[in-house]
Amino acid sequence: MLQPVLLGLLASFVGFASSFAVVLAGFAAMGATPEQAASGLVMLCVLMGALGAGFSLVWRMPISIAWSTPGAALLVTTGAPEGGFSAAVGAFLAASLLLVAAGLWRPFARAVERIPPPIAAAMLAGVLLDLCLAPVRAVGALPWLALPVVLAWAVMLRLNRLWAVPVAVVVAVAALLLGPGLPGAGGWEAPRLVWVTPSFEWGAMVGIALPLFLVTMASQNLPGYAVLQANGYRPEMRPVFLVTGAGSFLGGFFGGQLVNLAAITAALCAGPESHPDPARRWVAGLVASLGYLGFALVAGIAASVVAAAPPLLIQAVAGLALLASLAGALTAAMSVEALRVPAIVTFVVSASGLSVAGIGAAFWGLLAGGALMWMLRGK
């Protein structure tokens, strides 16, 4: 039984260390204070741990729940809405209710699934592009800090791809400690949740809530389900949508965004590396979930380090973490020849930073690509 325990611990460490910087950067871009960002990170860890453990125990499947990393990247590129972080929290709550609706009303989930994968992937690629350029910008602006991080990532990518981003995070912290230091970073404190009263702004509803929901469905829930299917597990998706949507709604009041099925960490827990017997791999999902509960205890330290570090360096680490996602999204976007032009239009508009009536570029990219696809379909 030691093998699934070790794989579960590895999955939780990789899941947290490889993308917590993206999540915190997303909260900061939405206008969250360091205390609110730390609260949101703690809440996400608690939800991931509690929901993943519950699913794994009840279904005896290696179910892993994760935060929406592409959704966090969307928040970074969208920027603070009118109304600040309280309006962003209102958008998080709305996106959570869309997840619940997908579980309650099957035609709604089916309509989301009918969005052509190349168009959804092109929107995701456009969202990720700016953040994935951050490592290049950081090397130019902060070479003595950023270059060791990029080199460490590249070397570990050659040696062991799974550890590339966690090692980059460690090198980034070491570079800061050996260089300018972290004057604003504090020691360990007990996790503290901060209540955020939401406000509901039209621009945030359309420009954040809808794209956040679509990105989470297309790039997290559906691939996560595919990973489980590929390993012989077929959980019912309706309870997943309902529970993660309800959990995300509760977490939103404390600054959290969406949680969803994991894909990468699910592959670690559900694959044969976890245990030769598929019936025993659920232990890896349970241990990974308990690991996230443990990371909730140190989420405040992670948030204080990120808040004290140069923002460009944190974006660089986040960009390195998302390069593989960008490559996959671009490949999927160009996979269907008949949809390449609508997909590239979706990508360009989503990456443009366009904002009209307070609505961000991701929505307009999806709208432009979908409209062009509809026009060309008649031809």
Side-chain angles (χ1 to χ4, degrees):
M1 251 351 213
L2 182 61
Q3 189 176 354
V5 171
L6 293 178
L7 258 292
L9 292 173
L10 174 63
S12 63
F13 176 79
V14 170
F16 183 87
S18 62
S19 55
F20 78 90
V22 188
V23 174
L24 289 172
F27 290 147
M30 290 287 101
T33 65
E35 293 77 17
Q36 290 171 333
S39 173
L41 188 63
V42 169
M43 195 69 230
L44 289 176
C45 289
V46 169
L47 289 173
M48 290 155 58
L51 300 185
F55 280 128
S56 297
L57 282 171
V58 172
W59 285 345
R60 289 299 196 268
M61 296 182 191
I63 306 296
S64 185
I65 302 298
W67 50 50
S68 178
T69 304
L74 169 72
L75 302 182
V76 174
T77 56
T78 301
E82 184 178 348
F85 192 57
S86 63
V89 166
F92 298 164
L93 298 180
S96 303
L97 292 178
L98 289 175
L99 271 179
V100 173
L104 290 176
W105 192 37
R106 179 58 187 162
F108 180 69
R110 196 174 295 125
V112 173
E113 293 168 3
R114 289 186 64 185
I115 296 175
I119 300 297
M123 181 185 73
L124 175 60
V127 165
L128 298 178
L129 178 62
D130 188 69
L131 200 53
C132 288
L133 293 174
V136 181
R137 296 173 181 147
V139 168
L142 306 166
W144 296 110
L145 289 176
L147 195 56
V149 175
V150 174
L151 290 176
W153 171 82
V155 170
M156 286 307 301
L157 200 65
R158 172 68 177 83
L159 298 176
N160 190 325
R161 184 180 297 265
L162 195 63
W163 289 92
V165 176
V167 167
V169 172
V170 172
V171 172
V173 174
L176 287 168
L177 292 174
L178 295 174
L182 293 168
W188 183 85
E189 293 181 1
R192 188 164 63 92
L193 296 178
V194 177
W195 177 273
V196 182
T197 301
S199 63
F200 300 95
E201 303 287 341
W202 167 251
M205 292 298 104
V206 180
I208 296 176
L210 183 58
L212 179 60
F213 166 73
L214 293 175
V215 163
T216 299
M217 289 289 285
S219 61
Q220 291 280 165
N221 278 327
L222 298 183
Y225 183 67
V227 166
L228 291 171
Q229 273 192 319
N231 286 283
Y233 305 100
R234 286 173 173 77
E236 188 180 348
M237 288 302 290
R238 183 181 181 186
V240 172
F241 292 155
L242 289 174
V243 172
T244 56
S248 299
F249 186 83
L250 173 64
F253 289 103
F254 300 97
Q257 49 130 323
L258 298 188
V259 294
N260 40 250
L261 276 179
I264 296 175
T265 51
L268 287 172
C269 296
E273 299 86 358
S274 172
H275 198 283
D277 183 1
R280 297 188 177 184
R281 295 175 192 168
W282 66 272
V283 175
L286 173 62
V287 172
S289 302
L290 296 178
Y292 285 127
L293 292 176
F295 278 118
L297 298 175
V298 298
I301 296 177
S304 66
V305 169
V306 168
L312 187 56
L313 183 66
I314 299 305
Q315 291 173 17
V317 175
L320 293 174
L322 293 169
L323 279 174
S325 298
L326 176 62
L330 288 172
T331 301
M334 299 293 106
S335 61
V336 179
E337 185 176 356
L339 292 178
R340 282 180 184 169
V341 175
I344 203 66
V345 167
T346 302
F347 168 71
V348 169
V349 176
S350 298
S352 67
L354 174 70
S355 178
V356 178
I359 300 171
F363 173 78
W364 298 117
L366 190 66
L367 191 65
L372 183 60
M373 181 189 69
W374 179 79
M375 290 172 61
L376 296 179
R377 181 171 290 174
K379 178 180 177 182

